[in-house]
């Protein structure tokens, strides 16, 4: 553990038998190198001691601003990045340190939906090939059977089999995102990581895709790791929400409770900052001051203290640990500390 | 014809600051000429914040650019933009240069498109000031530092020497606001000014704009897709759909009780803290029609839950009283519920209650 990071406890609810994903004390540092010899001069602490669990059929929302590390968490879980340390247990298998062949078999059980589906598609591929590609890559289907499966998947996401021979540019942003979801579902995954999957869509289309994700979850029993910056969207789709700030989860709990009654000053700032959260001029916003410091040089003590409206002496020196702040809820703030309430691992 | 100052019913006969009157904008595309803006009319009063809201392709940004004649690849094909006793559509280059920056300033979603990466931000503010005010370099520099301080840039005396890339996105937008305010414009046009910013920074920038508006008595024309930002900032809201105004009125009234099916659907499609998670979100089926294949009749018809036979005719903007308007046949005759009836002379003879 680095000296400034709090001893990271498993955030949120207690472990359960039906956990699909369990992330414990995950750390990812990116070295900043300089000079010909590539001397490491600093580390960007993109993810610095993150723990969470996702049950089967459950949605965990991760919110945070740019640089909070939420997308890095997604890439670590999907093994697109190697962790610096920590554990990732998926369906009972420890993924860190797993051999490539073994990992490949597990990998088709977890898929990702990106913000910009067009960037993930080869513009010269027909939709049948776009959706069929993961089937062929994992040797699940080929030729006619891959095409048949692609057609089924298109219908599952609300498009039609006749779209199979079209090309990506013939679709609107909302339709393209449906295709992105169909492609992610091709290998029948249990976990879908949605990284800002609805953020670029117009609101009328965003609602369509959110409804689709909820229907698919119900029908297929999917678990979602839903990463977004829009708190209202995250609350709507998530069972639980984790709030990230500079590489750490600062608060975690059931979505409704967490947003109706945020406990950490950062979550309170986020909730207050939602434009139109109240009638104009009716409230004093709890505003985080200034801007987030660089994750390569996070402040000592509590990482939020430089922006916190409630910071006091201790916040500058000592990093607060994640503690239970109610049934099934944790937050890391000295102001919320009461003796004997430290969250159990 | 458009009823001059349709809000005059409540506010006396105050002249609006800006009056956009039946504005049309066309673009050339590989598929021929398309009309991106098809007869837009609205007004901005002094000190007022008017939000223009709509989805991509609604024509909201094109309208903002057309007001300042900054269109690239498109042209104004009809209508007027009344500002200070002149029509900006026909104003000559000299007059437009004076209006831009001096009278009307504009900020964009991405400040990097407007900031020159090769010059320190201080120089750029000094430039903006000296373009419109005859003051010395030294005085302009002092003013630049003052402006940077006012928009909340820490350590402004050192920061004037920073280059745009050395600032964060939020700070760059603050610098843009400083440049926009350098000549105390009477109108600030802000096109999605906070869309690229993190929420806590967005909140700070919106608060800053509001404070400066109070101090400089600047009216604001805010172009946004975000109903939350509208609720937060706007006195008046103009809802765009497919190049037309479909509804306008006082922000609180339009958001609280929308009178056009599109506005209504748009509002319920956005999850809020009060949205019932047990229910699916209200969706608007389909997508915005392309400019090249605009359907005849009501442009929202194909996606509208209330569409009926009448909608194959293009609906006019119906007056609903207090300047509220809705482009929906369901509102035909709505002004009978209490709003003053327009004097007969202001009605075009064939169209009954229509106003455009």
């Amino acid at each position: 553990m680095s000296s400034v990071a709090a001893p990271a406890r498993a955030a949120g609810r207690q472990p359960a038998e039906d956990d699909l994903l369990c992330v414990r004390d995950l750390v990812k540092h990116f070295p900043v190198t300089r000079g010909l010899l590539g001397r490491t001069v600093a580390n960007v602490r993109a993810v610095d001691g993150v723990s969470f669990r996702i049950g089967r059929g459950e949605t965990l929302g991760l919110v945070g601003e740019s640089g909070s590390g939420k997308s890095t968490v997604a890439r670590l879980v999907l093994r697109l990045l190697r962790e610096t340390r920590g554990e990732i247990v998926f369906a009972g298998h420890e993924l860190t340190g797993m051999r490539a062949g073994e990992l490949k078999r597990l990998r088709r059980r977890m898929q990702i939906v990106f913000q910009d589906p067009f960037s993930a598609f080869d513009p010269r591929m027909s939709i049948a090939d776009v959706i069929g590609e993961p089937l062929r890559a994992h040797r699940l289907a080929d030729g006619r059977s891959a095409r048949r499966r692609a057609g089924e998947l298109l219908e599952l996401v609300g498009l039609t089999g006749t779209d199979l021979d079209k090309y990506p540019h013939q679709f609107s942003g909302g339709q393209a995102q449906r295709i992105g979801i169909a492609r992610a579902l091709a290998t029948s995954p249990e976990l879908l990581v949605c990284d800002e999957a609805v953020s670029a869509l117009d609101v009328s289309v965003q609602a369509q895709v959110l409804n689709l994700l909820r229907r698919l979850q119900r029908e297929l029993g999917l678990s979602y790791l839903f990463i977004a910056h829009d708190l209202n969207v995250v609350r709507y789709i998530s069972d639980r929400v984790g709030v990230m700030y500079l590489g750490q989860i600062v608060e975690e709990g059931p979505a409704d409770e967490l947003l109706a009654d945020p406990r950490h000053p950062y979550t309170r700032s986020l909730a207050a900052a939602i434009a139109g959260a109240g009638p104009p001029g009716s409230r004093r916003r709890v505003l985080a001051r200034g801007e987030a410091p660089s994750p390569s040089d996070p402040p000592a003590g509590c990482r939020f203290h430089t922006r916190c409206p409630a910071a006091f002496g201790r916040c500058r020196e000592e990093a607060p640990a994640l503690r239970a702040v109610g049934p099934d809820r944790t937050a890391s703030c000295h102001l919320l500390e009461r003796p004997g309430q430290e969250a159990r691992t | 014809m458009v009823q001059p100052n349709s809000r005059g019913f409540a506010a006396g006969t105050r002249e609006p600051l800006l009056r956009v009157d039946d504005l049309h904008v066309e673009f050339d595309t590989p598929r021929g000429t398309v009309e991106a803006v098809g007869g837009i009319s609205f007004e901005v009063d002094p000190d007022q914040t008017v939000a223009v809201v709509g989805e991509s392709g609604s024509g909201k940004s094109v309208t903002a650019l057309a007001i300042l004649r900054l269109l690239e690849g498109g042209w104004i094909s009809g209508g007027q933009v009344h500002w200070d006793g002149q029509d900006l559509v026909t104003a000559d280059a000299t007059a437009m240069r004076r209006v831009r920056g001096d009278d009307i300033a504009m900020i964009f979603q991405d400040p990097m498109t407007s900031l020159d990466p090769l010059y320190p931000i201080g120089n750029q503010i000094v430039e903006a000031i000296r373009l419109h005010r005859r003051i010395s370099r030294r005085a302009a520099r002092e003013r630049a530092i003052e402006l940077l301080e006012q928009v909340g840039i820490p350590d402004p005396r050192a920061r004037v020497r920073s280059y745009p890339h050395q600032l964060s996105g939020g700070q760059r937008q603050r610098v843009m606001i400083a440049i926009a305010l350098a000549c105390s414009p009477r109108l600030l046009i802000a096109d999605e000014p906070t869309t690229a910013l993190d929420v806590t920074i967005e909140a700070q920038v919106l608060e800053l704009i509001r404070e400066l508006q109070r101090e400089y008595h600047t009216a604001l024309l805010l172009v946004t897709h975000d109903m939350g930002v509208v609720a937060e900032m706007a006195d008046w809201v103009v809802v765009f759909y497919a190049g037309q105004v479909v509804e306008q009125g006082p922000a609180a009234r339009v958001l609280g009780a929308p009178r056009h099916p599109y506005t209504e659907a748009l509002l319920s499609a956005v999850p809020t803290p009060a949205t019932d998670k047990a229910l699916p979100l209200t969706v608007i089926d389909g997508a915005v029609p392309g400019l090249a294949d605009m359907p005849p009749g009501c442009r929202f018809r194909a996606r509208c839950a209330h569409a009926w036979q009448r909608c194959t005719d293009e609906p006019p903007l119906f007056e609903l009283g207090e300047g509220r308007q809705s482009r929906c046949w369901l509102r035909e005759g709505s002004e009978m519920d209490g709003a003053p009836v327009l004097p007969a002379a202001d009605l075009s003879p064939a169209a009954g209650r229509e106003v455009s």
Side-chain angles (χ1 to χ4, degrees):
Chain A
M1 240 22 272
S2 61
S3 61
V4 286
R9 306 289 172 179
R13 59 184 178 74
Q14 297 308 306
E17 297 254 318
D18 62 352
D19 278 341
L20 178 65
L21 179 70
C22 178
V23 167
R24 212 170 292 132
D25 211 0
L26 193 60
V27 174
K28 177 66 187 177
H29 290 177
F30 293 100
V32 181
T33 56
R34 192 155 296 162
L36 277 176
L37 299 175
R39 198 162 44 92
T40 300
V41 291
N43 276 307
V44 175
R45 289 150 56 170
V47 174
D48 215 5
V50 162
S51 305
F52 59 83
R53 303 165 192 284
I54 305 178
R56 287 185 188 275
E58 194 184 45
T59 301
L60 174 73
L62 270 190
V63 287
E65 300 180 279
S66 4
S68 63
K70 55 193 195 301
S71 291
T72 307
V73 168
R75 278 156 183 75
L76 288 167
V77 167
L78 292 164
R79 311 313 296 144
L80 303 174
L81 278 177
R82 239 193 131 79
E83 75 293 334
T84 303
R85 65 176 165 271
E87 284 172 39
I88 303 166
V89 180
F90 176 78
H93 303 272
E94 170 63 62
L95 301 187
T96 49
M98 191 177 265
R99 279 196 318 276
E102 209 179 343
L103 192 59
K104 191 174 176 189
R105 274 197 302 283
L106 283 170
R107 226 182 212 156
R108 68 180 161 86
R109 297 167 63 182
M110 44 167 90
Q111 293 291 340
I112 186 163
V113 181
F114 293 103
Q115 174 168 352
D116 177 12
F118 290 108
S119 68
F121 303 157
D122 183 336
R124 291 160 304 181
M125 273 186 167
S126 71
I127 297 309
D129 289 337
V130 163
I131 299 176
E133 194 183 29
L135 291 171
R136 284 186 295 274
H138 289 282
R139 297 178 197 282
L140 296 170
D142 217 334
R144 294 260 278 283
S145 65
R147 190 181 161 84
R148 190 171 345 103
R149 175 88 176 120
E152 285 166 14
L153 287 161
L154 273 185
E155 270 159 34
L156 184 65
V157 299
L159 296 170
T160 60
T162 53
D163 292 329
L164 278 176
D165 296 312
K166 293 185 183 166
Y167 288 83
H169 73 268
Q170 292 174 279
F171 294 91
S172 68
Q175 290 171 325
Q177 196 53 292
R178 287 175 193 267
I179 295 167
I181 293 169
R183 175 185 156 108
L185 293 176
T187 60
S188 308
E190 291 140 76
L191 174 71
L192 214 53
V193 176
C194 302
D195 191 0
E196 302 279 9
V198 300
S199 306
L201 302 175
D202 271 326
V203 285
S204 69
V205 177
Q206 175 180 290
Q208 295 172 5
V209 175
L210 286 172
N211 284 349
L212 171 65
L213 287 170
R214 297 239 319 209
R215 175 170 65 77
L216 292 172
Q217 178 164 53
R218 217 172 35 242
E219 289 175 5
L220 307 174
L222 297 169
S223 302
Y224 292 147
L225 175 58
F226 192 90
I227 293 168
H229 64 274
D230 184 324
L231 232 48
N232 284 328
V233 166
V234 168
R235 173 201 159 265
Y236 178 73
I237 199 151
S238 306
D239 300 299
R240 305 182 61 79
V241 170
V243 179
M244 287 193 72
Y245 187 76
L246 281 183
Q248 299 177 331
I249 289 181
V250 296
E251 181 161 7
E252 208 258 9
D256 284 315
E257 292 167 39
L258 187 130
L259 288 167
D261 176 27
R263 307 299 298 276
H264 192 284
Y266 179 61
T267 318
R268 297 172 73 140
S269 299
L270 277 184
I274 301 178
S282 68
R283 80 217 128 85
R284 253 337 279 160
R285 287 164 162 232
V286 192
L287 283 185
R289 292 188 304 243
E291 307 196 354
S294 159
S296 63
D297 186 23
C302 171
R303 293 187 173 188
F304 187 57
H305 88 255
T306 55
R307 305 180 68 197
C308 184
F312 60 108
R314 188 173 167 199
C315 309
R316 284 181 275 278
E317 279 140 32
E318 189 187 335
L322 269 177
R323 291 163 194 283
V325 290
D328 224 15
R329 291 187 60 176
T330 54
S332 60
C333 175
H334 290 312
L335 289 171
L336 302 171
E337 192 177 322
R338 262 160 289 163
Q341 288 218 324
E342 192 144 322
R344 281 166 299 158
T345 309
Chain B
M1 267 318 288
V2 167
Q3 174 73 8
N5 192 1
S6 45
R7 270 155 282 164
F9 295 126
T13 47
R14 186 153 80 140
E15 251 314 283
L17 188 64
L18 172 80
R19 183 153 58 86
V20 177
D21 192 353
D22 198 24
L23 185 73
H24 292 256
V25 177
E26 293 180 348
F27 281 85
D28 258 341
T29 72
R31 293 179 62 187
T33 301
V34 296
E35 195 180 58
V37 169
I40 294 283
S41 301
F42 65 90
E43 295 166 2
V44 181
D45 284 340
D47 283 323
Q48 197 185 30
T49 295
V50 173
V52 165
V53 65
E55 298 180 274
S56 18
S58 63
K60 57 189 194 303
S61 294
V62 171
T63 300
L65 291 169
I67 291 170
L68 281 175
R69 303 246 311 270
L70 294 171
L71 290 167
E72 277 175 38
W75 60 91
I76 296 172
S77 52
Q80 289 105 44
V81 175
H82 298 283
W83 174 266
D84 227 9
Q86 57 182 331
D87 176 11
L88 298 187
V89 172
T90 53
D92 62 27
T94 322
M96 275 320 291
R97 251 198 316 275
R98 206 166 38 239
V99 168
R100 290 188 203 118
D102 215 3
D103 283 343
I104 307 178
M106 185 158 182
I107 57 177
F108 299 90
Q109 174 175 340
D110 179 9
M112 279 315 257
T113 56
S114 326
L115 289 170
D116 190 327
L118 298 179
Y119 292 94
I121 54 166
N123 296 26
Q124 303 189 45
I125 305 175
V126 167
E127 277 302 296
I129 297 172
R130 279 169 47 95
L131 209 57
H132 299 278
R133 298 273 185 276
R134 305 179 74 94
I135 61 172
S136 71
R137 232 168 206 293
R138 179 188 293 265
R141 195 166 182 81
E142 279 310 305
R143 177 76 184 124
I145 291 168
E146 213 177 280
L147 282 164
L148 285 179
E149 176 150 38
Q150 210 170 14
V151 297
I153 300 281
D155 197 7
R157 206 159 277 280
R159 275 302 189 187
V160 284
R161 284 188 288 275
S162 299
Y163 289 84
H165 75 267
Q166 295 173 306
L167 305 176
S168 69
Q171 285 177 331
R172 285 199 287 261
Q173 198 55 284
R174 287 171 194 268
V175 170
M176 281 312 300
I177 294 170
I179 292 174
L181 292 173
C183 296
S184 320
R186 284 183 287 160
L187 175 67
L188 175 65
I189 301 178
D191 187 359
E192 305 272 8
T194 57
T195 303
L197 304 177
D198 277 328
V199 283
T200 56
I201 307 301
E202 166 175 81
Q204 292 170 1
V205 170
L206 290 178
E207 190 121 319
L208 173 69
I209 291 176
R210 248 200 321 256
E211 266 168 35
L212 295 172
Q213 246 189 303
R214 270 196 298 273
E215 191 175 332
Y216 288 86
H217 297 289
T218 306
L220 176 66
L221 179 63
L222 179 67
V223 178
T224 180
H225 70 281
D226 188 333
M227 284 296 192
V229 172
V230 176
E232 178 95 25
M233 300 290 284
D235 304 308
W236 190 265
V237 57
V238 187
V239 184
F240 275 44
Y241 184 77
Q244 295 181 322
V245 172
V246 293
E247 175 163 13
Q248 64 175 313
R253 305 280 302 277
V254 172
L255 298 183
R259 304 290 292 274
H260 191 283
Y262 175 64
T263 320
E264 196 178 12
L266 204 54
L267 284 167
S268 49
V270 191
T272 70
T275 304
D276 187 347
K277 289 173 70 166
L279 302 174
L281 292 168
T282 313
V283 301
I284 309 175
D285 286 327
V288 182
L291 293 174
D293 28 42
M294 207 50 84
C298 171
R299 295 182 173 184
F300 186 57
R301 177 170 48 121
R303 308 177 71 190
C304 183
H306 307 287
W308 53 307
Q309 199 186 342
R310 193 86 176 88
C311 308
T312 51
D313 290 335
E314 182 166 339
L317 268 173
F318 291 104
E319 284 285 351
L320 311 177
E322 294 175 75
R324 281 194 78 171
Q325 297 177 328
S326 170
R327 191 184 291 279
C328 177
W329 286 114
L330 293 171
R331 300 298 160 202
E332 190 176 20
S334 292
E335 78 277 27
M336 300 309 286
D337 49 34
V341 175
L342 302 178
D346 293 315
L347 298 175
S348 54
R353 283 168 287 261
E354 94 183 55
V355 290
S356 71

